[in-house]
Amino acid sequence: MGIRDHQTSRPPGGGPAYPAPAPAGTGPALRRPVADPGEAPQEASREAVVPGRWRYTRHLDRLAAVAAVAGGPRAGGPGEAEAVAAVLRDPDPVMAESAVVTHLDRRAPRLLPGTEFPDWARALHPVLDGHAFPARRLREWSLLKAIEAGTDWNAAELAAASDWCQNTAAGSLASREALTLLAASARTRRVRNTAAQRLRRSAA
């Protein structure tokens, strides 16, 4: 069973979530031209004059466009990592990290079933160094990949994972070992109940 596409853009500490971008044609038109994803660092000072919500939407559009080019066998190429690095240079670090996490949550489920995920994760890992929120999200997607693929994974890592990760695992993974662990020791009652219910259904 595949991982469902989760879209979470809430920064650590429970801060306000940034809204998902409006469908094309429904939001205000951006008046500034779209810059190249590899824009120079000095562009960040000019980005600050654009409202944060517009920059958030534009960052997601850039990342999606680069991912479309880098998809398939080219996943994990330098273009996507460079685009993520450019987003993280935004003068609003909370908004920038939120946009990157939303991108990861859209991108990872599409790569999880195939063989491209490890190369993609390796390419992004150094770019996310020093950015705690997206770095943790990438580690947790890698954990979910290992559990789904049946490769070695650390039970202690799942037990200590974020509520998002435990909830995603309980609702999406087929691993009885992972579900048993979550049914017994997940942090929230909701996740424990979800995992227990899925175990009972799988045994029926």
Side-chain angles (χ1 to χ4, degrees):
M1 182 180 299
I3 300 292
R4 294 178 299 187
D5 191 342
H6 289 263
Q7 181 176 329
T8 303
S9 55
R10 188 178 299 277
Y18 283 88
T26 62
L30 299 180
R31 299 181 181 279
R32 288 166 52 83
V34 175
D36 184 270
E39 61 189 300
Q42 59 265 30
E43 178 67 15
S45 61
R46 293 193 293 273
E47 287 286 319
V49 303
V50 180
R53 180 176 298 185
W54 290 11
R55 297 205 311 278
Y56 177 81
T57 300
R58 186 166 66 183
H59 288 328
L60 289 178
D61 289 345
R62 292 174 179 173
L63 292 170
V66 172
V69 173
R74 295 178 57 191
E80 187 170 1
E82 291 169 359
V84 169
V87 171
L88 292 173
R89 291 195 293 267
D90 189 281
D92 181 346
V94 173
M95 180 273 288
E97 291 191 1
S98 179
V100 169
V101 168
T102 297
H103 174 69
L104 298 180
D105 288 350
R106 292 175 174 180
R107 188 86 160 105
R110 295 179 172 89
L111 297 175
L112 231 58
T115 60
E116 301 92 353
F117 183 92
D119 288 341
W120 174 76
R122 276 193 295 271
L124 290 182
H125 182 269
V127 173
L128 301 181
D129 187 37
H131 301 276
F133 185 32
R136 179 172 188 175
R137 184 55 58 87
L138 182 63
R139 287 195 304 272
E140 291 185 335
W141 273 118
S142 298
L143 173 62
L144 295 172
K145 168 66 174 177
I147 297 171
E148 183 178 72
T151 57
D152 290 340
W153 57 278
N154 190 323
E157 187 178 357
L158 180 59
S162 68
D163 291 350
W164 171 87
C165 182
Q166 290 187 349
N167 185 61
T168 302
S172 302
L173 296 177
S175 166
R176 288 190 62 82
E177 183 180 358
L179 291 174
T180 299
L181 182 153
L182 292 171
S185 60
R187 189 174 300 104
T188 68
R189 179 180 299 177
R190 175 183 177 184
V191 171
R192 293 194 298 271
N193 288 342
T194 298
Q197 289 169 5
R198 294 193 65 224
L199 282 170
R200 287 195 294 269
R201 285 199 298 268
S202 67

PDB file of all heavy atoms in Angstrom, residues 71-91:
ATOM      1  N   GLY A  71      11.930  14.823 -12.922  1.00  0.00           N
ATOM      2  CA  GLY A  71      11.226  13.599 -12.583  1.00  0.00           C
ATOM      3  C   GLY A  71      11.769  12.381 -13.297  1.00  0.00           C
ATOM      4  O   GLY A  71      12.693  12.439 -14.095  1.00  0.00           O
ATOM      5  N   GLY A  72      11.164  11.240 -12.970  1.00  0.00           N
ATOM      6  CA  GLY A  72      11.546   9.984 -13.612  1.00  0.00           C
ATOM      7  C   GLY A  72      12.962   9.595 -13.283  1.00  0.00           C
ATOM      8  O   GLY A  72      13.432   9.746 -12.163  1.00  0.00           O
ATOM      9  N   PRO A  73      13.704   9.099 -14.261  1.00  0.00           N
ATOM     10  CA  PRO A  73      15.044   8.607 -13.984  1.00  0.00           C
ATOM     11  C   PRO A  73      16.025   9.696 -13.574  1.00  0.00           C
ATOM     12  O   PRO A  73      17.101   9.397 -13.086  1.00  0.00           O
ATOM     13  CB  PRO A  73      15.464   7.968 -15.317  1.00  0.00           C
ATOM     14  CG  PRO A  73      14.632   8.641 -16.352  1.00  0.00           C
ATOM     15  CD  PRO A  73      13.320   8.928 -15.673  1.00  0.00           C
ATOM     16  N   ARG A  74      15.655  10.971 -13.769  1.00  0.00           N
ATOM     17  CA  ARG A  74      16.573  12.051 -13.408  1.00  0.00           C
ATOM     18  C   ARG A  74      16.303  12.590 -12.014  1.00  0.00           C
ATOM     19  O   ARG A  74      16.883  13.570 -11.609  1.00  0.00           O
ATOM     20  CB  ARG A  74      16.457  13.182 -14.424  1.00  0.00           C
ATOM     21  CG  ARG A  74      16.897  12.793 -15.816  1.00  0.00           C
ATOM     22  CD  ARG A  74      16.716  13.930 -16.783  1.00  0.00           C
ATOM     23  NE  ARG A  74      17.441  15.124 -16.371  1.00  0.00           N
ATOM     24  CZ  ARG A  74      17.280  16.312 -16.925  1.00  0.00           C
ATOM     25  NH1 ARG A  74      16.410  16.462 -17.899  1.00  0.00           N
ATOM     26  NH2 ARG A  74      17.989  17.350 -16.512  1.00  0.00           N
ATOM     27  N   ALA A  75      15.373  11.969 -11.262  1.00  0.00           N
ATOM     28  CA  ALA A  75      15.086  12.444  -9.915  1.00  0.00           C
ATOM     29  C   ALA A  75      16.363  12.456  -9.097  1.00  0.00           C
ATOM     30  O   ALA A  75      17.162  11.543  -9.152  1.00  0.00           O
ATOM     31  CB  ALA A  75      14.041  11.546  -9.246  1.00  0.00           C
ATOM     32  N   GLY A  76      16.516  13.512  -8.310  1.00  0.00           N
ATOM     33  CA  GLY A  76      17.724  13.636  -7.510  1.00  0.00           C
ATOM     34  C   GLY A  76      18.823  14.400  -8.212  1.00  0.00           C
ATOM     35  O   GLY A  76      19.921  14.523  -7.686  1.00  0.00           O
ATOM     36  N   GLY A  77      18.561  14.933  -9.394  1.00  0.00           N
ATOM     37  CA  GLY A  77      19.556  15.720 -10.104  1.00  0.00           C
ATOM     38  C   GLY A  77      19.803  17.046  -9.414  1.00  0.00           C
ATOM     39  O   GLY A  77      19.078  17.448  -8.502  1.00  0.00           O
ATOM     40  N   PRO A  78      20.840  17.755  -9.835  1.00  0.00           N
ATOM     41  CA  PRO A  78      21.213  18.995  -9.149  1.00  0.00           C
ATOM     42  C   PRO A  78      20.190  20.111  -9.265  1.00  0.00           C
ATOM     43  O   PRO A  78      20.131  20.994  -8.420  1.00  0.00           O
ATOM     44  CB  PRO A  78      22.538  19.376  -9.811  1.00  0.00           C
ATOM     45  CG  PRO A  78      22.499  18.722 -11.159  1.00  0.00           C
ATOM     46  CD  PRO A  78      21.755  17.435 -10.948  1.00  0.00           C
ATOM     47  N   GLY A  79      19.377  20.109 -10.319  1.00  0.00           N
ATOM     48  CA  GLY A  79      18.440  21.208 -10.519  1.00  0.00           C
ATOM     49  C   GLY A  79      17.476  21.386  -9.372  1.00  0.00           C
ATOM     50  O   GLY A  79      17.239  22.515  -8.911  1.00  0.00           O
ATOM     51  N   GLU A  80      16.911  20.297  -8.876  1.00  0.00           N
ATOM     52  CA  GLU A  80      15.938  20.399  -7.797  1.00  0.00           C
ATOM     53  C   GLU A  80      16.612  20.847  -6.503  1.00  0.00           C
ATOM     54  O   GLU A  80      16.078  21.681  -5.764  1.00  0.00           O
ATOM     55  CB  GLU A  80      15.224  19.073  -7.596  1.00  0.00           C
ATOM     56  CG  GLU A  80      14.069  19.149  -6.609  1.00  0.00           C
ATOM     57  CD  GLU A  80      13.218  17.902  -6.595  1.00  0.00           C
ATOM     58  OE1 GLU A  80      13.529  16.946  -7.359  1.00  0.00           O
ATOM     59  OE2 GLU A  80      12.246  17.861  -5.822  1.00  0.00           O
ATOM     60  N   ALA A  81      17.780  20.308  -6.214  1.00  0.00           N
ATOM     61  CA  ALA A  81      18.499  20.712  -5.006  1.00  0.00           C
ATOM     62  C   ALA A  81      18.841  22.194  -5.053  1.00  0.00           C
ATOM     63  O   ALA A  81      18.731  22.917  -4.044  1.00  0.00           O
ATOM     64  CB  ALA A  81      19.764  19.874  -4.841  1.00  0.00           C
ATOM     65  N   GLU A  82      19.260  22.682  -6.213  1.00  0.00           N
ATOM     66  CA  GLU A  82      19.575  24.108  -6.350  1.00  0.00           C
ATOM     67  C   GLU A  82      18.335  24.969  -6.158  1.00  0.00           C
ATOM     68  O   GLU A  82      18.393  26.052  -5.552  1.00  0.00           O
ATOM     69  CB  GLU A  82      20.199  24.364  -7.718  1.00  0.00           C
ATOM     70  CG  GLU A  82      21.594  23.770  -7.874  1.00  0.00           C
ATOM     71  CD  GLU A  82      22.077  23.803  -9.314  1.00  0.00           C
ATOM     72  OE1 GLU A  82      21.298  24.275 -10.183  1.00  0.00           O
ATOM     73  OE2 GLU A  82      23.204  23.360  -9.566  1.00  0.00           O
ATOM     74  N   ALA A  83      17.191  24.502  -6.661  1.00  0.00           N
ATOM     75  CA  ALA A  83      15.952  25.261  -6.493  1.00  0.00           C
ATOM     76  C   ALA A  83      15.536  25.311  -5.028  1.00  0.00           C
ATOM     77  O   ALA A  83      15.084  26.348  -4.530  1.00  0.00           O
ATOM     78  CB  ALA A  83      14.844  24.634  -7.344  1.00  0.00           C
ATOM     79  N   VAL A  84      15.688  24.205  -4.318  1.00  0.00           N
ATOM     80  CA  VAL A  84      15.379  24.192  -2.886  1.00  0.00           C
ATOM     81  C   VAL A  84      16.308  25.136  -2.137  1.00  0.00           C
ATOM     82  O   VAL A  84      15.877  25.894  -1.252  1.00  0.00           O
ATOM     83  CB  VAL A  84      15.483  22.755  -2.335  1.00  0.00           C
ATOM     84  CG1 VAL A  84      15.436  22.753  -0.806  1.00  0.00           C
ATOM     85  CG2 VAL A  84      14.350  21.889  -2.889  1.00  0.00           C
ATOM     86  N   ALA A  85      17.589  25.132  -2.469  1.00  0.00           N
ATOM     87  CA  ALA A  85      18.539  26.035  -1.825  1.00  0.00           C
ATOM     88  C   ALA A  85      18.148  27.491  -2.062  1.00  0.00           C
ATOM     89  O   ALA A  85      18.275  28.337  -1.157  1.00  0.00           O
ATOM     90  CB  ALA A  85      19.948  25.770  -2.343  1.00  0.00           C
ATOM     91  N   ALA A  86      17.682  27.807  -3.270  1.00  0.00           N
ATOM     92  CA  ALA A  86      17.272  29.176  -3.569  1.00  0.00           C
ATOM     93  C   ALA A  86      16.082  29.595  -2.718  1.00  0.00           C
ATOM     94  O   ALA A  86      16.025  30.716  -2.215  1.00  0.00           O
ATOM     95  CB  ALA A  86      16.932  29.299  -5.060  1.00  0.00           C
ATOM     96  N   VAL A  87      15.132  28.701  -2.531  1.00  0.00           N
ATOM     97  CA  VAL A  87      13.981  29.007  -1.680  1.00  0.00           C
ATOM     98  C   VAL A  87      14.432  29.271  -0.252  1.00  0.00           C
ATOM     99  O   VAL A  87      13.961  30.205   0.410  1.00  0.00           O
ATOM    100  CB  VAL A  87      12.954  27.860  -1.722  1.00  0.00           C
ATOM    101  CG1 VAL A  87      11.856  28.068  -0.677  1.00  0.00           C
ATOM    102  CG2 VAL A  87      12.330  27.744  -3.110  1.00  0.00           C
ATOM    103  N   LEU A  88      15.356  28.468   0.244  1.00  0.00           N
ATOM    104  CA  LEU A  88      15.809  28.610   1.624  1.00  0.00           C
ATOM    105  C   LEU A  88      16.608  29.890   1.857  1.00  0.00           C
ATOM    106  O   LEU A  88      16.895  30.233   3.010  1.00  0.00           O
ATOM    107  CB  LEU A  88      16.627  27.384   2.035  1.00  0.00           C
ATOM    108  CG  LEU A  88      15.811  26.090   2.150  1.00  0.00           C
ATOM    109  CD1 LEU A  88      16.726  24.905   2.381  1.00  0.00           C
ATOM    110  CD2 LEU A  88      14.775  26.200   3.263  1.00  0.00           C
ATOM    111  N   ARG A  89      16.982  30.589   0.798  1.00  0.00           N
ATOM    112  CA  ARG A  89      17.633  31.892   0.953  1.00  0.00           C
ATOM    113  C   ARG A  89      16.626  33.029   1.113  1.00  0.00           C
ATOM    114  O   ARG A  89      17.005  34.192   1.269  1.00  0.00           O
ATOM    115  CB  ARG A  89      18.541  32.178  -0.246  1.00  0.00           C
ATOM    116  CG  ARG A  89      19.775  31.292  -0.306  1.00  0.00           C
ATOM    117  CD  ARG A  89      20.813  31.837  -1.275  1.00  0.00           C
ATOM    118  NE  ARG A  89      20.374  31.800  -2.657  1.00  0.00           N
ATOM    119  CZ  ARG A  89      20.618  30.804  -3.503  1.00  0.00           C
ATOM    120  NH1 ARG A  89      21.294  29.742  -3.091  1.00  0.00           N
ATOM    121  NH2 ARG A  89      20.196  30.858  -4.755  1.00  0.00           N
ATOM    122  N   ASP A  90      15.340  32.725   1.077  1.00  0.00           N
ATOM    123  CA  ASP A  90      14.323  33.760   1.250  1.00  0.00           C
ATOM    124  C   ASP A  90      14.529  34.450   2.598  1.00  0.00           C
ATOM    125  O   ASP A  90      14.905  33.815   3.583  1.00  0.00           O
ATOM    126  CB  ASP A  90      12.927  33.130   1.203  1.00  0.00           C
ATOM    127  CG  ASP A  90      11.825  34.160   1.169  1.00  0.00           C
ATOM    128  OD1 ASP A  90      11.491  34.713   2.253  1.00  0.00           O
ATOM    129  OD2 ASP A  90      11.289  34.419   0.088  1.00  0.00           O
ATOM    130  N   PRO A  91      14.304  35.768   2.681  1.00  0.00           N
ATOM    131  CA  PRO A  91      14.520  36.488   3.941  1.00  0.00           C
ATOM    132  C   PRO A  91      13.569  36.089   5.062  1.00  0.00           C
ATOM    133  O   PRO A  91      13.812  36.439   6.219  1.00  0.00           O
ATOM    134  CB  PRO A  91      14.330  37.958   3.553  1.00  0.00           C
ATOM    135  CG  PRO A  91      13.560  37.927   2.271  1.00  0.00           C
ATOM    136  CD  PRO A  91      13.991  36.688   1.566  1.00  0.00           C
TER     137      PRO A  91
END
